[in-house]
């Protein structure tokens, strides 16, 4: 069975649609009209091309784009420009001219093709659009139906809401707004994507289908509540007597496709149980290939990435479309740790409540010196959904990459991971660590480059053996990785001569193979 899908328009709706369809076994070929967007979209594992539909031409290799395609999804709305009523149908004519009529097509249209009738509207309504964009769309629908016949399905979607389109921002702080009591017609991004997939799965072509939530809240109450949820100034509505409206009937989508809306009430976008899950992710030692598959997928889908200092560029470049925010701390930073952590907590909360997919990206493993505990407790306190994705900690990565057996029969049956701050703050802990090393266990010390002069003397004092092996691994797993090997007697001198760079992890008590 051919499951090759071509998506014309990898925008706000098209890109997450492509990712979901690919995950569910479809082969995807996507397109964008802009070169800048193409550069970032090429990071994804599906094929992406530049296709720009003009009124008299198609820029790009259209034949390759639709080659072997089982279904073409046309997903680019009319632009808000003069003469769009003429321009958009001409663009559709270019698609028709270069596409066989036997091709299956899903056309993403809009409920703006319907006029206000002060009643419930279903797909049998004779459309008399009131705006230029609606008139452009109804002409486009008609052209596609004339050419593709029963091979085209038109999906008329209501107003789109979801990540990066939180309704709280639509009308916030606006004044003198009219029609406060009309019902609103909306559909969540997740439901729009699932509707398209349902059409594909059920091979439902030759139809016109409305996509809209079941519930139609009143405009004033809905947008006031939406703004308040984001701590934004609520819109101000005038009192009006005559209000024209329409209520989009979605019953055909439910009966024909056996479809159930996840956001049957658009107000659910405000509720915590429907917020997207925050991912606290361990990015490992820095090499992209050492990410877990779950981490990679979450980073690819992220809309906001809050990242620490040691996250490598190659991992950040997995997703170049997300909003990146540096929230890390470098050696010597003067910012108060509590202030910094409170800022991170606020950012996670605010972006999640806006419906955005948040990734909190930490080097190594989140619970190994990653301070994930503070963030997890904050999220749990505020009842925000989250999951922690493990990462390969630096000590384990360095040991494996450099072939250092941290536990080995008749050599060491345990490894202790600790931080060099022990040398600064707790004599008893450092003394205990030294005794573990003396007993034959392997020690791994994080953040120890600047504290080596405190750590080595204590280890020598307790162990009384300057031949105990010491390995200093800088930038484990990255291109600039360096390893300096020595022993307790000479490691300080060797590290100083090598001028290695942070981050450095020390593995003490084991010799590389």
């Amino acid at each position: 069975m051919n499951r090759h899908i071509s998506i014309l328009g990898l925008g706000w709706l098209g890109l997450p649609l492509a990712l979901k369809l690919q995950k569910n076994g479809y082969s995807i070929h996507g397109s964008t009209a802009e070169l800048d967007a193409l550069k970032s979209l090429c990071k994804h594992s599906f094929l992406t091309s530049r296709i720009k539909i003009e009124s008299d031409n198609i820029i790009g290799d259209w034949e390759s784009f639709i080659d072997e395609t089982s279904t073409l999804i046309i997903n680019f709305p009319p632009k808000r420009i003069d003469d769009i009523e003429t321009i958009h149908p001409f663009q559709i004519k270019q698609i028709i001219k270069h596409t066989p009529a036997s091709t299956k097509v899903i056309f993403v249209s809009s409920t703006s093709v319907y006029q206000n009738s002060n009643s419930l509207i279903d797909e049998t309504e004779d459309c008399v659009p009131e705006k230029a964009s609606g008139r452009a769309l109804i002409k486009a629908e008609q052209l596609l139906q004339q050419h593709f016949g029963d091979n085209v399905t038109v999906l008329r979607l209501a107003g789109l809401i979801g990540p990066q389109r939180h309704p709280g921002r639509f009308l916030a702080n606006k004044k003198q707004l009219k029609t406060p009591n009309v019902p609103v017609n909306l559909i969540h991004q997740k439901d729009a994507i699932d509707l398209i997939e349902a059409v594909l799965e059920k091979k439902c072509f030759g139809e016109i289908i409305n996509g809209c939530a079941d519930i139609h809240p009143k405009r004033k109450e809905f947008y006031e509540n939406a703004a308040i949820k984001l701590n934004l100034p609520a819109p101000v509505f005038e009192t009006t007597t005559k209000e024209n409206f329409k209520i989009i009937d979605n019953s055909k989508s439910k009966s024909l496709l056996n479809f159930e809306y996840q956001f049957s009430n658009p107000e659910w976008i405000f509720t915590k149980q429907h917020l997207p899950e925050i991912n606290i992710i361990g990015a490992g030692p820095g090499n992209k290939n050492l990410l877990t598959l779950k981490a990679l997928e979450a980073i690819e889908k992220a809309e906001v990435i809050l990242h620490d200092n040691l996250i490598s560029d190659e991992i950040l470049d997995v997703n170049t479309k997300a909003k990146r925010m540096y929230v890390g701390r470098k050696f010597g930073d003067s910012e108060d740790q509590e202030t910094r952590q409170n800022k991170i907590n606020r950012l996670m909360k605010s972006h999640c409540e806006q419906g955005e997919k948040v990734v909190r990206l930490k080097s190594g493993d989140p619970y190994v010196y990653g301070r994930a505990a503070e963030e997890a407790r904050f999220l749990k306190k505020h009842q925000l959904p989250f999951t922690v994705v493990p990462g390969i900690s630096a000590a384990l990565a360095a040991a494996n990459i450099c072939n250092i057996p941290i536990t080995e029969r008749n050599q060491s049956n345990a490894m202790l991971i600790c931080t060099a701050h022990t040398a600064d703050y707790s004599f008893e802990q450092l003394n205990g660590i030294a005794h573990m090393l003396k007993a034959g266990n392997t020690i791994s010390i994080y953040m120890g480059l600047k504290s080596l002069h405190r750590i080595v003397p204590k280890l020598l004092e307790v162990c009384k053996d300057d031949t105990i092996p010491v390995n200093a691994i800088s930038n484990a797993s990255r291109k600039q990785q360096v390893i300096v090997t020595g022993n307790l007697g000479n490691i300080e001198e060797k590290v100083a001569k090598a001028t290695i760079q942070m981050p450095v992890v020390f593995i003490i008590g084991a010799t590389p193979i």
Side-chain angles (χ1 to χ4, degrees), residues 405-413 513:
I406 49 180
T407 61
E408 187 175 12
R409 190 182 304 120
N410 301 322
Q411 297 293 326
S412 170
N413 60 8
I513 294 171

Side-chain angles (χ1 to χ4, degrees), residues 193-204 253 257 259:
I193 289 169
D194 288 349
L195 264 177
I196 294 171
E197 188 172 15
V199 171
L200 292 170
E201 289 295 311
K202 294 191 176 292
K203 301 180 180 61
C204 183
S253 67
L257 300 172
F259 190 77

Side-chain angles (χ1 to χ4, degrees), residues 278-282 348 360 362 366 372 375-376 379 386-389:
I278 295 170
N279 284 280
I280 302 175
I281 290 177
M348 287 192 298
R360 174 71 179 99
K362 298 172 175 289
E375 293 165 12
L379 296 173
F386 73 94
T387 188
V388 179
V389 181

Side-chain angles (χ1 to χ4, degrees), residues 61 106 110 150 160 190 229 246 248 262 381 482-483:
D61 190 348
I106 297 174
S110 165
D150 288 342
L160 291 161
K190 287 183 177 180
K229 288 292 182 182
K246 60 193 172 197
I248 303 301
Q262 294 184 59
K381 175 184 175 183
V482 173
I483 179 171

Side-chain angles (χ1 to χ4, degrees), residues 8 17 51 93 121 193 213 239 259 280 286 289 319 344 363 415 456 461 486:
L8 183 64
L17 170 65
I51 301 289
K93 285 181 180 179
I121 289 182
I193 289 169
T239 301
F259 190 77
I280 302 175
N289 295 327
N319 183 340
I344 293 169
S363 61
M415 183 183 78
V456 169
E461 177 187 329

Side-chain angles (χ1 to χ4, degrees), residues 278 306 335 338-354 375 378-379 382 384:
I278 295 170
L306 308 175
E335 184 182 27
E338 185 178 355
T339 302
R340 174 180 162 273
Q341 190 60 61
N342 288 339
K343 174 186 173 184
I344 293 169
N345 292 345
R346 286 196 304 271
L347 287 170
M348 287 192 298
K349 182 175 183 289
S350 64
H351 285 286
C352 176
E353 289 178 342
Q354 290 177 51
E375 293 165 12
F378 172 85
L379 296 173
H382 290 273
L384 296 170

Side-chain angles (χ1 to χ4, degrees), residues 284-286 290 363-369 390-407 414-418 442-446 471 473 475-477 481 504-508:
L290 295 180
S363 61
D365 182 89
Y367 281 130
V368 180
Y369 304 121
I392 299 175
S393 194
L396 302 180
N400 283 277
I401 292 167
C402 298
N403 292 308
I404 304 170
I406 49 180
T407 61
M415 183 183 78
L416 174 67
I417 296 178
C418 56
T442 307
I443 308 296
S444 176
I445 299 179
Y446 287 54
N471 310 277
I473 302 96
N475 286 290
S477 84
Q481 175 182 298
V504 177
V505 60
F506 289 88
I507 299 178
I508 306 173

Side-chain angles (χ1 to χ4, degrees), residues 163-439:
Q164 299 176 328
R165 285 194 184 182
H166 193 288
R169 297 191 176 279
F170 290 0
L171 302 178
N173 206 26
K174 292 191 176 180
K175 311 266 194 271
Q176 297 180 318
L177 295 169
K178 301 184 184 301
T179 60
N181 298 309
V182 300
V184 294
N185 300 291
L186 299 168
I187 184 170
H188 195 280
Q189 182 193 66
K190 287 183 177 180
D191 287 322
I193 289 169
D194 288 349
L195 264 177
I196 294 171
E197 188 172 15
V199 171
L200 292 170
E201 289 295 311
K202 294 191 176 292
K203 301 180 180 61
C204 183
F205 291 94
E207 300 287 349
I208 297 173
I209 302 171
N210 290 338
C212 183
D214 296 347
I215 307 298
H216 307 268
K218 289 186 177 180
R219 187 166 182 252
K220 179 176 182 291
E221 294 174 4
F222 179 78
Y223 286 109
E224 282 180 347
N225 289 337
I228 289 167
K229 288 292 182 182
L230 299 185
N231 295 314
L232 295 173
V236 178
F237 287 83
E238 293 180 347
T239 301
T240 54
T241 52
K242 187 176 181 181
E243 298 181 299
N244 295 319
F245 64 90
K246 60 193 172 197
I247 299 175
I248 303 301
D249 183 355
N250 70 0
S251 57
K252 182 177 180 179
S253 67
K254 292 192 286 188
S255 60
L256 186 64
L257 300 172
N258 193 28
F259 190 77
E260 184 176 347
Y261 287 82
Q262 294 184 59
F263 285 81
S264 58
N265 184 346
E267 292 180 319
W268 287 350
I269 196 172
F270 312 146
T271 59
K272 289 186 176 179
Q273 59 265 40
H274 287 86
L275 291 176
E277 193 171 62
I278 295 170
N279 284 280
I280 302 175
I281 290 177
N287 188 311
K288 181 179 73 173
N289 295 327
L290 295 180
L291 289 169
T292 65
L293 290 174
K294 187 172 183 178
L296 182 65
E297 183 179 343
I299 295 168
E300 285 179 335
K301 291 183 177 180
E303 288 152 343
V304 176
I305 296 176
L306 308 175
H307 67 94
D308 281 346
N309 175 46
L310 297 177
I311 306 300
S312 67
D313 288 340
E314 69 170 304
I315 287 178
L316 288 175
D317 286 345
V318 166
N319 183 340
T320 55
K321 289 181 72 70
K323 187 188 304 177
R324 291 187 199 171
M325 298 183 188
Y326 172 70
V327 293
R329 183 177 183 273
K330 299 178 183 177
F331 180 79
D333 281 355
S334 58
E335 184 182 27
D336 174 68
Q337 174 57 32
E338 185 178 355
T339 302
R340 174 180 162 273
Q341 190 60 61
N342 288 339
K343 174 186 173 184
I344 293 169
N345 292 345
R346 286 196 304 271
L347 287 170
M348 287 192 298
K349 182 175 183 289
S350 64
H351 285 286
C352 176
E353 289 178 342
Q354 290 177 51
E356 295 176 307
K357 296 173 185 174
V358 178
V359 160
R360 174 71 179 99
L361 201 53
K362 298 172 175 289
S363 61
D365 182 89
Y367 281 130
V368 180
Y369 304 121
R371 295 195 173 91
E374 299 168 49
E375 293 165 12
R377 288 192 181 102
F378 172 85
L379 296 173
K380 191 168 184 178
K381 175 184 175 183
H382 290 273
Q383 297 179 315
L384 296 170
F386 73 94
T387 188
V388 179
V389 181
I392 299 175
S393 194
L396 302 180
N400 283 277
I401 292 167
C402 298
N403 292 308
I404 304 170
I406 49 180
T407 61
E408 187 175 12
R409 190 182 304 120
N410 301 322
Q411 297 293 326
S412 170
N413 60 8
M415 183 183 78
L416 174 67
I417 296 178
C418 56
T419 170
H421 296 314
T422 301
D424 298 325
Y425 307 132
S426 172
F427 174 83
E428 285 188 12
Q429 280 194 11
L430 183 55
N431 193 54
I433 290 166
H435 279 282
M436 283 195 68
L437 180 63
K438 184 180 180 181

